[in-house]
Amino acid sequence: MFGKRSESSPALKMPAKAAPPVSAPNVTAAVKSAPQATMEPNASGQRERSEEYYEIKATIFNALFETIDISALAGMQPEKARDEIRTIVDEIIAIRNVRLSVSEQSQLITEICDDILGYGPLEPLLARDDIADIMVNGAKHVFIETNGKMQKTNIRFRDNQQLMNICQRIVSQVGRRVDEASPICDARLLDGSRVNVIAPPLSIDGPALTIRKFKKEKLTLNDLVGFKSISPAGARVLEIIGACQCNIVISGGTGSGKTTLLNCLTGFIHPDERIITCEDAAELQLQQPHVVRLETRPPNLEGKGKVSMADLVKNCLRMRPERIIVGEVRGPEAFDLLQAMNTGHDGSMGTLHANSPREALSRLESMITMGGFSLPAKTIREMIVGSVDIVVQAARLRDGSRRITQITEVIGMEGEVIVTQDLLVYEMDGEDAHGKIIGAHKSTGIARPAFWDRARYFNLEKDLAEALDAAGS
């Protein structure tokens, strides 16, 4: 029974004088006022927990903290620690005569274990592979994106302090911090999922946590074909582009699938090549054996020690790379990436935010200019033309589906204007009865793209011709 557990239990607090068990009149009163903590299904079919359920959970959680030694739990194996918590919570529930159904009691114990050892209420969402994004707007508003659609969940946190504790637990795993002094933080989970936290006072209604989840199974171009993100012929064109060491920029909006597409394209890099990746928060999942992963670092409490993306790109040029992959280009590192692409590191890749291939090239120019490089506009554009071979545009359509909308190659300059030509374009033909967009990837009729000679060098010109013919038919 609670209060008489064996002293051999490492997580049980054993004060010098045996203290009586925590008094339960308040809990009993709360339970009497709410004879049953219910979880009714809501309109979406999710189990809606009552206020009494959360009150009982908070009370038991507080009693548990007075009973166990958290530092002792940290030294245990996860399953053993969970068993220890389950045993003590069962005793607290029994001694206080808390009336819960079997399913509610099991759910409550699981949630308390997650609160102490994991990511709290987020654990069931992180376990689901059909969720693409988790968005937490304060303690009581949790949204998810699944199948391209946003929906609110019935999950909530005890209060903003619990949410903040979980945010700090997440970012501390990768050596970062988030607090009032440093309220914005980019981090990642252990599985590579991208995390962004913005804390009060910048976030007015409590901490805002955004998690971009990665699927447990690595997606390939064949998977994208199955999702109709690209046609089979278009996928073959992308495969050839990746294999013949074209320099690629992947452009698109937030949530359009840029990183997923970048992961797919890296699958066609030869295993013998040395690849160096540079990212703000490491999320690329390359399968090649010779990969060096680099990650930026924010400044410390004294404002020192910052390592920027530009620093990483400059340094990786001294690491004998054959391909350089930048997770996201968003600042002065654009100049260093173009320099790398134009100085013998063929097949380098990067992503950036833009609405079209032409805007992507304009953004590259703008980022170089904002970086303080006092170069004439024509010189910057010539550098872009000499560095970037292909721009692949990804988009998230209004029905939530993700499509590769354009495969565009950079041809050259006419005067001071960059000339591009589309190889493949996604054309929308309408929508079906369920609101899903209907369309097709169509070739623009270009028989010999500008990288034809590069494809011939790798003995891929026949495959390229067949792929373009198939895309046009």
Side-chain angles (χ1 to χ4, degrees), residues 37-281:
T38 58
M39 290 192 293
E40 298 294 337
N42 61 15
S44 63
Q46 293 176 313
R47 300 295 287 179
E48 195 73 52
R49 295 163 193 142
S50 64
E51 289 296 326
E52 291 80 12
Y53 173 86
Y54 286 106
E55 289 174 10
I56 291 171
K57 177 183 172 184
T59 306
I60 293 175
F61 187 87
N62 293 334
L64 177 67
F65 254 79
E66 296 175 8
T67 310
I68 62 174
D69 182 359
I70 298 296
S71 60
L73 286 177
M76 295 183 184
Q77 293 293 330
E79 280 307 313
K80 187 176 180 182
R82 283 180 179 268
D83 289 341
E84 183 72 18
I85 293 172
R86 285 191 191 99
T87 303
I88 300 175
V89 171
D90 280 336
E91 293 180 353
I92 294 174
I93 290 174
I95 202 71
R96 299 192 174 193
N97 195 28
V98 177
R99 283 175 282 179
L100 294 169
S101 68
V102 174
S103 62
E104 288 172 346
Q105 181 167 333
S106 175
Q107 180 68 30
L108 184 142
I109 293 173
T110 299
E111 289 180 6
I112 289 177
C113 289
D114 290 340
D115 288 346
I116 296 176
L117 303 173
Y119 301 131
L122 297 177
E123 286 285 348
L125 300 181
L126 292 170
R128 287 176 54 182
D129 206 32
D130 62 324
I131 295 176
D133 291 273
I134 302 171
M135 293 145 283
V136 183
N137 308 336
K140 296 187 178 180
H141 302 284
V142 180
F143 295 82
I144 60 173
E145 182 198 314
T146 177
N147 296 323
K149 296 294 184 180
M150 204 84 69
Q151 60 180 352
K152 187 176 181 180
T153 71
N154 65 338
I155 288 173
R156 73 182 198 183
F157 293 80
R158 187 170 61 253
D159 50 35
N160 282 330
Q161 187 55 52
Q162 183 198 14
L163 173 56
M164 193 64 193
N165 290 341
I166 289 172
C167 291
Q168 290 170 337
R169 187 180 304 167
I170 290 172
V171 303
S172 64
Q173 291 178 334
V174 290
R176 304 195 177 188
R177 64 188 182 91
V178 59
D179 48 37
E180 287 190 7
S182 179
I184 299 178
C185 181
D186 286 315
R188 56 183 164 81
L189 298 180
L190 297 180
D191 65 355
S193 296
R194 184 194 310 167
V195 177
N196 176 268
V197 180
I198 181 163
L202 301 187
S203 180
I204 297 171
D205 300 320
L209 170 66
T210 309
I211 301 176
R212 171 67 53 81
K213 283 181 78 268
F214 275 4
K215 289 185 177 292
K216 295 175 183 176
E217 295 182 2
K218 311 295 186 296
L219 293 180
T220 65
L221 270 182
N222 289 333
D223 294 319
L224 299 189
V225 171
F227 300 148
K228 297 184 179 179
S229 296
I230 187 68
S231 65
R236 182 59 180 149
V237 172
L238 286 177
E239 180 181 341
I240 294 168
I241 287 171
C244 67
Q245 297 185 357
C246 291
N247 293 325
I248 304 170
V249 170
I250 298 173
S251 165
T254 300
S256 59
K258 299 186 299 298
T259 303
T260 298
L261 180 55
L262 181 58
N263 269 321
C264 292
L265 290 179
T266 58
F268 303 107
I269 298 176
H270 196 276
D272 291 341
E273 295 185 65
R274 176 174 168 85
I275 307 166
I276 299 180
T277 68
C278 304
E279 302 173 81
D280 277 324

Side-chain angles (χ1 to χ4, degrees), residues 249-327:
V249 170
I250 298 173
S251 165
T254 300
S256 59
K258 299 186 299 298
T259 303
T260 298
L261 180 55
L262 181 58
N263 269 321
C264 292
L265 290 179
T266 58
F268 303 107
I269 298 176
H270 196 276
D272 291 341
E273 295 185 65
R274 176 174 168 85
I275 307 166
I276 299 180
T277 68
C278 304
E279 302 173 81
D280 277 324
E283 54 185 325
L284 292 174
Q285 300 169 309
L286 276 64
Q287 305 302 306
Q288 285 75 10
H290 199 164
V291 178
V292 179
R293 305 170 72 206
L294 306 180
E295 188 177 53
T296 60
R297 186 178 69 184
N300 58 21
L301 287 170
E302 290 77 29
K304 299 179 181 178
K306 179 180 178 180
V307 179
S308 67
M309 183 73 77
D311 295 329
L312 292 184
V313 176
K314 285 179 184 176
N315 186 77
C316 75
L317 294 175
R318 306 183 183 100
M319 298 173 65
R320 206 269 180 200
E322 290 180 299
R323 297 213 194 195
I324 299 171
I325 297 176
V326 178

Side-chain angles (χ1 to χ4, degrees), residues 376-387:
K378 185 176 181 180
T379 302
I380 296 175
R381 290 169 189 167
E382 287 174 346
M383 184 187 303
I384 292 172
V385 168
S387 304

